[in-house]
Amino acid sequence: MRVAVFGGDGFVGWPTCLHLSNAGHDVTIVDNLSRRRIDTELGVQSLTPMDSIQERLRIWKQVSGKTIRFELLDIATEYTRVKLWLDEFRPDALVHLAQQRAAPYSMKSDRLKTYTVNNNTNATHNLLSALVELGLDTHFIHLGTMGVYGYSDIGATIPEGYLTVNVRLDDGQEVSRKILYPADPGSVYHMTKCMDQIMFAFYANNDQIRATDLHQGIVWGTHTDQTRRHEQLVNRFDYDGDYGTVLNRFLIQAAIKHPLTVHGTGGQTRAFIHIQDSVRCIELALNNPPARGERPKIFNQMTEVFRIRDLAKLVSELSGVEIVYLPNPRKEASENDMKVANQQFLDLGLEPITLQVGMLEELVHVAGKYAHRIDASKIPAQSGWTADLQSRISTIVDFNPAQRKV
Amino acid sequence: MRVAVFGGDGFVGWPTCLHLSNAGHDVTIVDNLSRRRIDTELGVQSLTPMDSIQERLRIWKQVSGKTIRFELLDIATEYTRVKLWLDEFRPDALVHLAQQRAAPYSMKSDRLKTYTVNNNTNATHNLLSALVELGLDTHFIHLGTMGVYGYSDIGATIPEGYLTVNVRLDDGQEVSRKILYPADPGSVYHMTKCMDQIMFAFYANNDQIRATDLHQGIVWGTHTDQTRRHEQLVNRFDYDGDYGTVLNRFLIQAAIKHPLTVHGTGGQTRAFIHIQDSVRCIELALNNPPARGERPKIFNQMTEVFRIRDLAKLVSELSGVEIVYLPNPRKEASENDMKVANQQFLDLGLEPITLQVGMLEELVHVAGKYAHRIDASKIPAQSGWTADLQSRISTIVDFNPAQRKV
């Protein structure tokens, strides 16, 4: 298939491109390289040394014999160029990962809130509008987030996108309806993914766009079968307070023997998935598109749920590093349960990599291997969800590992 | 109260400003005058001769002794200026009407689809973000649309914003939840209003923004008590295929003795409200803000429902002009019933002006009075909802009244 991967230079995008290219698809990356610009802006860098996209693609060609093309394009601001490019490339499917994807970054300042909304909303809508205008029947695969569901525990398993509810009619009868799960975003970033859902529903209905939305959990892990094939194909590994996921930050702390910092009680339950499973899921979605006229297909792209403190315990046991508890900069419930349906991907053959099994490799072969590149001052959370919570951040920054002279 | 009216130069905005200014509020209009630019772009104009905003405000001062200030500002693209201005003016309340508001215009081309999404989404979000950044407790009143509910008849009265549903838990018990009514937009324009709702819900929850969303029906009527005070204070009257509402187009057709053109069977039921009631509702909303921490207050700002063909019959009976049926360029159900709850405004004292009573004035004192200014070639619908439906438009254009040499 001809596949366009928008955001193919990012953390999920890069291994997705290699995976699909290796599977025989004709892949083109379209990216504005904004993730690298944000690294520069924040003064942070991937733990793993990351080459330019052009160099990465040269190595991939050398290792695999396969070509992945690269197009420098900002899909949120260059609508006409997006349309011209799509008209030329005419992809069978596109994978849309070209969005600002860090909740803390989206809450850092009003500049970044407005950037996130402007960028993410226009990116999605420009692609949809161009497909309709060109009359292309491209399968539109989008990376959503489990965060669209919110984290309030209502005592029911989170279904895959649609919720069956009963509504009372005027005549007193109750009827059953399958509705989009009520949105409950916890950050500006998550809010944009909820808004994306409305756009997919509209364009699927009005123009028969075939859309798949993948509500992904927190991705962990660095290597996939393809990124392992050459040192210079390595995926990025973020550990800073904005882009680093909770697990990555635990791993980094363990590697430098710094206490694992849990925000709040650590009672927050979250969904997780390994990067190798993430790219497999995208491939499964690619091979199982919705029919034309069908409403958007929604998958929960996650394989396990964990409480943050249990995750910390797991890392602590493997590394021997202690756990400390710090104030929580996020506005969220301190404790929540979560059960998530993910039967669709399991039915399609997904065999998940578990944290219990995969964590050690991350600790030794990634965090340990590159420990000399760690800038410990970048680990703490920097973004409060409100002005009030921002003031708590000072407490966290006071606990800056950098001051411990690691 | 200090009230900022964003979009105060528009059809609802202008009489809102006069109404609130007359009621003693300190009103400033913030507008980028885009509605006038769109008139220029489409080569259409208001049936009623409309002066510049500066001239209108000069007349208002002369007639009422009251000052309404005007700030030329594009809130969708000039975030920093929006913030500086809000910081200076520090309104107690703002009325946000600064959005592209015509469904047909939003479906006209990909340029206008992307414009509508970019403009409407950033306009709302920039205001929300600036209020949070400045720590202002401004009551945020937004004009939504009945179109967020969709027009599929489910046999239940449309509630005011929130729907009570029953959800089955994992243990088999059913619990009742009050959720935002599931969005079902029928055009790109309506889609943006659904996306707005998600932003209000998020910011009310995360930052205690006090938000009111007014889901308005189709507005009819031209004059309010205040616009009547001077010829040059007259409100705009759109009758073109994009911005003209169905009723306005019937009135214009009646005025020039052209058959009333109904799209489809005319079985579509819609909600209506007179412009005088519309501005009264905005004032009622202004005087009844939600508490801080409360979720957005949602009102259905409409007073009557009518089937389009019944509306045509009403105009036909008053004017003696026949009705003809043309293909429908919109993607929608050909027939629908609709019952709408609007008890909140009635409880606050709203006494609706009915179509049965108010229509004759419109026919004689507006459409009749300015009939010499009618450009009949602008009346037909020009925008198909899909490429397929667009092709039907030719049939409609063939039925162009201009060719009848009116």
Side-chain angles (χ1 to χ4, degrees):
Chain A
M1 272 193 260
R2 292 167 74 78
V3 184
V5 181
F6 294 88
D9 187 46
F11 170 63
V12 173
W14 175 242
T16 297
C17 293
L18 299 191
H19 187 81
L20 298 180
S21 175
N22 182 67
H25 297 293
D26 175 10
V27 176
T28 296
I29 292 174
V30 182
D31 203 301
N32 65 356
L33 306 182
S34 63
R35 187 63 194 85
R36 294 175 189 257
R37 177 186 58 70
I38 292 173
D39 269 352
T40 305
E41 170 187 315
L42 297 175
V44 301
Q45 59 184 6
S46 166
L47 178 70
T48 49
M50 208 175 57
D51 286 332
S52 73
I53 184 67
Q54 293 86 349
E55 175 67 2
R56 281 170 148 189
L57 294 177
R58 191 182 67 80
I59 301 288
W60 177 245
K61 173 80 180 178
Q62 187 182 300
V63 164
S64 70
K66 292 169 195 297
T67 299
I68 298 177
R69 283 176 303 275
F70 167 61
E71 185 77 22
L72 183 68
L73 194 85
D74 188 325
I75 62 168
T77 62
E78 302 183 288
Y79 179 70
T80 306
R81 286 193 60 221
V82 171
K83 192 164 66 164
L84 287 171
W85 186 83
L86 281 170
D87 195 22
E88 195 184 323
F89 188 66
R90 306 184 85 76
D92 302 300
L94 68 81
V95 183
H96 171 32
L97 313 162
Q99 296 185 303
Q100 193 296 100
R101 55 98 172 157
Y105 187 78
S106 80
M107 299 303 286
K108 215 176 172 63
S109 69
D110 60 338
R111 181 176 71 83
L112 299 179
K113 286 176 188 174
T114 55
Y115 163 71
T116 299
V117 168
N118 186 29
N119 181 75
N120 289 10
T121 305
N122 283 316
T124 298
H125 187 257
N126 283 349
L127 290 177
L128 287 164
S129 175
L131 291 185
V132 170
E133 188 64 16
L134 297 168
L136 291 175
D137 187 27
T138 303
H139 176 200
F140 192 126
I141 300 170
H142 173 253
L143 201 63
T145 169
M146 290 293 302
V148 300
Y149 301 118
Y151 298 112
S152 51
D153 175 26
I154 63 161
T157 300
I158 295 174
E160 303 203 58
Y162 298 100
L163 179 69
T164 300
V165 299
N166 292 319
V167 183
R168 187 173 295 272
L169 303 185
D170 289 348
D171 63 9
Q173 287 206 311
E174 276 212 348
V175 290
S176 170
R177 300 282 167 200
K178 206 170 178 180
I179 62 169
L180 199 60
Y181 196 96
D184 184 17
S187 76
V188 166
Y189 155 73
H190 293 105
M191 184 180 86
T192 65
K193 297 284 188 177
C194 296
M195 292 159 72
D196 286 336
Q197 291 199 100
I198 291 180
M199 295 193 267
F200 295 130
F202 172 73
Y203 278 97
N205 180 48
N206 196 72
D207 301 283
Q208 288 73 58
I209 288 285
R210 294 182 296 130
T212 297
D213 211 356
L214 304 173
H215 289 332
Q216 188 168 254
I218 298 172
V219 187
W220 63 282
T222 308
H223 296 302
T224 66
D225 292 344
Q226 303 311 316
T227 65
R228 274 196 197 88
R229 289 172 71 176
H230 192 289
E231 174 114 36
Q232 283 178 270
L233 296 177
V234 71
N235 200 9
R236 64 180 303 136
F237 180 106
D238 301 311
Y239 64 92
D240 64 279
D242 286 306
Y243 276 85
T245 59
V246 57
L247 179 59
N248 278 8
R249 292 189 293 126
F250 289 160
L251 291 170
I252 289 295
Q253 292 175 324
I256 59 171
K257 304 295 175 196
H258 180 281
L260 310 179
T261 52
V262 171
H263 293 140
T265 65
Q268 311 94 322
T269 305
R270 292 291 181 271
F272 293 87
I273 186 170
H274 189 277
I275 185 70
Q276 177 70 66
D277 289 339
S278 182
V279 302
R280 278 188 194 132
C281 286
I282 291 172
E283 186 187 19
L284 290 170
L286 186 70
N287 293 332
N288 295 277
R292 219 169 145 77
E294 202 178 312
R295 64 174 156 185
K297 212 162 174 173
I298 304 179
F299 293 85
N300 290 336
Q301 186 160 308
M302 51 68 66
T303 56
E304 291 178 278
V305 295
F306 260 88
R307 277 187 199 272
I308 302 301
R309 61 171 169 256
D310 294 333
L311 200 62
K313 272 180 206 152
L314 203 57
V315 178
S316 175
E317 280 162 19
L318 285 172
S319 64
V321 171
E322 60 170 337
I323 301 169
V324 297
Y325 293 86
L326 298 180
N328 190 357
R330 298 194 183 208
K331 186 150 185 167
E332 62 184 4
S334 61
E335 303 268 333
N336 73 296
D337 264 325
M338 190 157 85
K339 270 169 290 179
V340 184
N342 67 339
Q343 200 56 43
Q344 292 182 103
F345 275 133
L346 297 178
D347 287 349
L348 291 174
L350 182 69
E351 291 174 10
I353 298 167
T354 63
L355 277 158
Q356 196 76 46
V357 168
M359 184 95 83
L360 192 62
E361 181 192 328
E362 285 301 308
L363 195 57
V364 176
H365 295 293
V366 181
K369 178 175 175 184
Y370 296 105
H372 60 286
R373 285 172 54 90
I374 296 172
D375 175 357
S377 72
K378 302 302 187 190
I379 304 172
Q382 303 283 351
S383 309
W385 254 230
T386 62
D388 193 40
L389 292 168
Q390 184 66 41
S391 65
R392 293 196 196 171
I393 295 283
S394 55
T395 329
I396 302 176
V397 174
D398 286 347
F399 197 76
N400 191 330
Q403 295 166 357
R404 294 167 65 105
K405 302 192 175 52
V406 175
Chain B
M1 273 192 259
R2 292 168 73 79
V3 183
V5 180
F6 295 89
D9 186 46
F11 170 62
V12 174
W14 175 242
T16 297
C17 292
L18 299 190
H19 188 81
L20 297 180
S21 174
N22 183 66
H25 297 292
D26 175 10
V27 176
T28 297
I29 291 174
V30 182
D31 203 301
N32 65 355
L33 306 181
S34 63
R35 187 63 195 84
R36 294 175 189 255
R37 176 186 57 72
I38 292 172
D39 269 352
T40 306
E41 169 188 315
L42 296 175
V44 301
Q45 60 184 5
S46 166
L47 178 70
T48 49
M50 207 175 58
D51 286 333
S52 72
I53 183 68
Q54 293 86 348
E55 176 67 2
R56 281 170 148 190
L57 294 178
R58 189 182 69 80
I59 303 289
W60 177 246
K61 172 82 182 179
Q62 186 182 301
V63 165
S64 70
K66 293 171 195 295
T67 300
I68 297 177
R69 283 175 303 276
F70 167 60
E71 182 79 21
L72 183 69
L73 193 85
D74 188 327
I75 63 168
T77 62
E78 300 183 290
Y79 179 69
T80 306
R81 285 191 61 219
V82 172
K83 192 164 69 164
L84 286 171
W85 185 84
L86 282 170
D87 194 22
E88 194 185 326
F89 188 67
R90 307 184 84 77
D92 301 302
L94 67 82
V95 183
H96 171 33
L97 312 162
Q99 297 186 302
Q100 194 297 99
R101 56 99 172 155
Y105 187 77
S106 81
M107 298 303 285
K108 215 177 172 65
S109 68
D110 60 337
R111 181 175 72 82
L112 299 178
K113 287 176 188 174
T114 55
Y115 163 71
T116 300
V117 168
N118 187 29
N119 181 75
N120 290 10
T121 305
N122 283 317
T124 298
H125 187 256
N126 282 348
L127 290 177
L128 287 165
S129 177
L131 292 185
V132 169
E133 188 64 16
L134 297 168
L136 291 175
D137 187 27
T138 303
H139 176 200
F140 192 125
I141 300 170
H142 173 252
L143 201 63
T145 169
M146 289 294 300
V148 301
Y149 302 117
Y151 299 111
S152 51
D153 176 25
I154 64 161
T157 300
I158 294 174
E160 303 204 60
Y162 299 100
L163 179 69
T164 301
V165 299
N166 293 319
V167 183
R168 185 173 297 273
L169 304 186
D170 290 347
D171 63 9
Q173 288 206 310
E174 275 210 350
V175 292
S176 170
R177 301 280 167 201
K178 206 170 179 182
I179 62 169
L180 199 60
Y181 197 95
D184 184 17
S187 75
V188 166
Y189 155 73
H190 293 106
M191 184 180 85
T192 65
K193 297 283 189 178
C194 296
M195 291 159 72
D196 286 337
Q197 292 199 99
I198 292 182
M199 294 193 268
F200 295 129
F202 172 74
Y203 277 98
N205 180 48
N206 196 71
D207 301 284
Q208 287 74 57
I209 289 285
R210 293 182 298 130
T212 297
D213 210 358
L214 305 173
H215 289 331
Q216 190 167 253
I218 298 173
V219 187
W220 64 281
T222 308
H223 296 304
T224 66
D225 292 344
Q226 303 311 316
T227 65
R228 274 197 196 88
R229 290 171 70 174
H230 191 286
E231 175 114 36
Q232 284 178 269
L233 295 178
V234 71
N235 200 8
R236 63 181 302 136
F237 181 104
D238 301 311
Y239 64 93
D240 62 280
D242 287 305
Y243 276 85
T245 59
V246 57
L247 179 59
N248 278 8
R249 293 189 293 128
F250 288 160
L251 291 169
I252 289 295
Q253 292 175 326
I256 59 172
K257 304 292 176 202
H258 179 281
L260 310 179
T261 52
V262 171
H263 294 140
T265 65
Q268 311 94 322
T269 305
R270 293 290 181 272
F272 293 88
I273 185 169
H274 189 278
I275 185 69
Q276 177 71 66
D277 290 339
S278 183
V279 304
R280 279 189 194 133
C281 285
I282 290 172
E283 186 186 19
L284 290 171
L286 186 70
N287 293 332
N288 294 277
R292 215 167 149 78
E294 202 179 313
R295 62 175 158 185
K297 212 162 174 173
I298 305 179
F299 294 84
N300 290 337
Q301 186 159 308
M302 52 69 67
T303 57
E304 290 179 281
V305 294
F306 260 89
R307 277 187 199 271
I308 301 302
R309 62 170 168 257
D310 294 333
L311 200 63
K313 272 180 208 152
L314 203 58
V315 177
S316 175
E317 282 161 17
L318 284 172
S319 63
V321 171
E322 61 169 336
I323 301 169
V324 296
Y325 293 86
L326 298 180
N328 189 357
R330 298 194 184 208
K331 185 150 184 166
E332 62 184 5
S334 62
E335 303 267 334
N336 72 297
D337 264 326
M338 191 159 86
K339 271 168 291 178
V340 183
N342 67 339
Q343 200 55 44
Q344 293 181 100
F345 275 133
L346 298 178
D347 287 348
L348 291 174
L350 182 71
E351 290 173 12
I353 298 167
T354 63
L355 277 158
Q356 196 75 47
V357 168
M359 183 97 82
L360 192 62
E361 180 192 329
E362 285 300 308
L363 195 57
V364 176
H365 295 293
V366 182
K369 177 174 177 187
Y370 296 104
H372 61 286
R373 286 173 53 90
I374 295 171
D375 174 355
S377 72
K378 303 300 186 190
I379 305 172
Q382 303 284 351
S383 308
W385 254 231
T386 62
D388 192 41
L389 292 168
Q390 184 65 42
S391 66
R392 294 196 195 172
I393 295 283
S394 57
T395 330
I396 302 175
V397 172
D398 286 348
F399 196 78
N400 191 331
Q403 296 166 357
R404 295 164 66 103
K405 300 191 175 54
V406 175

